Amino acid sequence: MEQNLIVYVVSDSAGETGEFVVRAAAAQFHPIHADIRRAPFIQDVSALERVVQRAKQTGGIILFTLVIPELREALIQLGRTQGVECIDLLGPLVASLERQTGKSARQEPGLNHVLDADYFRKVDAVEFAVKYDDARDTTGVLKADIVLVGVSRTSKTPLSMYLAHKKYKVANVPLVPELKPPNELFEIRKDKIIGLTIGVPYLNIIRKERLKALGLPDSAAYAATSRIEQELAYAESIMKKLDCTIIDVSFRAVEETASLIMERIRLQS
């Protein structure tokens, strides 16, 4: 059995940056699972001491994004004393930027979460993705920056949310043989539509795991190879009619697929 990796993400802000980096790095060690435990909004050394103690007890490591020098130095020293590996994500980069610019860092936590226009665009995009998920309201297709189409379990929803955090308004539409695709799909520019496809064996595994998670037998028609082949053939026929870009998501992380989509959208804009 593979041993899970425990990573404590310590920050004097929300800790989102550190968690994102850990997930990106941990993806390179699949199937090892990274158990990420955030310690956000750290303001004093006593809080750091508690995190280091927990990391020591659980055999975890610490990745930190502390911008306040005193806290950063305190954590480094605590890690050395307790024998806990502490990785400074921001410190070396901030020091390099100070040398390059000849200016001192502001040393203010959370500056990347300032409530500016970009922040509100992101919030709007996330709300949009939730509202128009799974074609609950097909009018979203006409308003979206990106429209994802594909069969069930091709990462449409996770991709929509990931792209929303990049400030894209995304609607997604499931393609099911028994349901006619919404007319709106054929009314928008093809360069806004991304078709998601996947290999039959890979989708078979994913759907079986989904059924197990729901407490259902994995022999259900939803995961049957014949049903998957039928759905994929139908989806392919619709994508050809739409003349849209098609991306195979087999064995691709959401981040990788999203990067391909964003690059394609940038090239076409």
Side-chain angles (χ1 to χ4, degrees), residues 3-9 19 22-23 26 31-38 58-63:
Q3 182 179 2
N4 288 348
L5 174 67
I6 300 175
V7 183
Y8 293 84
V9 175
E19 181 172 347
V22 172
R23 291 194 184 282
I32 294 176
H33 171 71
D35 181 357
I36 301 172
R37 305 179 184 183
R38 274 202 220 181
T58 58
I61 65 173
I62 293 173
L63 181 139

Side-chain angles (χ1 to χ4, degrees), residues 51-70:
V51 177
V52 172
Q53 195 58 39
R54 288 200 297 271
K56 183 176 181 179
Q57 291 170 351
T58 58
I61 65 173
I62 293 173
L63 181 139
F64 62 95
T65 57
L66 297 168
V67 299
I68 300 173
E70 293 77 14

Side-chain angles (χ1 to χ4, degrees), residues 82-258:
Q82 297 297 324
V84 174
E85 183 173 4
C86 295
I87 303 164
D88 186 355
L89 182 61
L90 292 183
L93 177 58
V94 169
S96 294
L97 292 176
E98 286 181 329
R99 288 193 298 271
Q100 186 70 22
T101 63
K103 296 182 179 181
S104 297
R106 292 168 63 178
Q107 299 174 7
E108 297 176 35
L111 287 180
N112 58 325
H113 295 290
V114 173
L115 302 185
D116 57 10
D118 266 3
Y119 174 84
F120 288 109
R121 278 199 295 271
K122 183 187 295 186
V123 170
D124 285 344
V126 170
E127 291 177 348
F128 187 96
V130 172
K131 182 176 181 179
Y132 298 111
D133 182 47
D134 249 0
R136 284 195 288 255
D137 182 348
T138 57
T139 61
V141 171
L142 301 174
K143 306 171 188 175
D145 301 317
I146 301 170
V147 179
L148 305 177
V149 299
V151 302
S152 172
R153 313 312 293 179
T154 48
S155 301
K156 294 187 300 299
T157 297
L159 274 168
S160 296
M161 296 307 299
Y162 185 94
L163 290 165
H165 280 84
K166 300 296 183 181
K167 301 184 287 293
Y168 290 98
K169 291 184 177 181
V170 185
N172 72 77
V173 177
L175 298 179
V176 184
E178 291 77 16
L179 298 176
K180 180 184 176 183
N183 292 329
E184 291 87 348
L185 272 179
F186 299 91
E187 297 173 9
I188 61 174
R189 301 195 322 265
K190 65 179 182 181
D191 58 9
K192 294 175 65 171
I193 306 172
I194 302 292
L196 304 175
T197 189
I198 191 170
V200 174
Y202 192 49
L203 184 54
N204 176 256
I205 293 170
I206 292 173
R207 288 192 173 182
K208 283 185 175 181
E209 290 301 318
R210 177 60 176 164
L211 288 170
K212 288 178 184 177
L214 294 172
L216 300 171
D218 63 10
S219 57
Y222 176 69
T225 299
S226 58
R227 172 62 186 183
I228 290 172
E229 289 173 342
Q230 178 193 7
E231 288 186 36
L232 288 173
Y234 171 75
E236 183 180 355
S237 70
I238 297 299
M239 292 175 196
K240 284 183 178 178
K241 288 180 182 177
L242 294 169
D243 194 24
C244 64
T245 296
I246 300 175
I247 296 177
D248 190 334
V249 301
S250 304
F251 304 103
R252 278 201 170 104
V254 167
E255 296 86 351
E256 182 184 357
T257 305

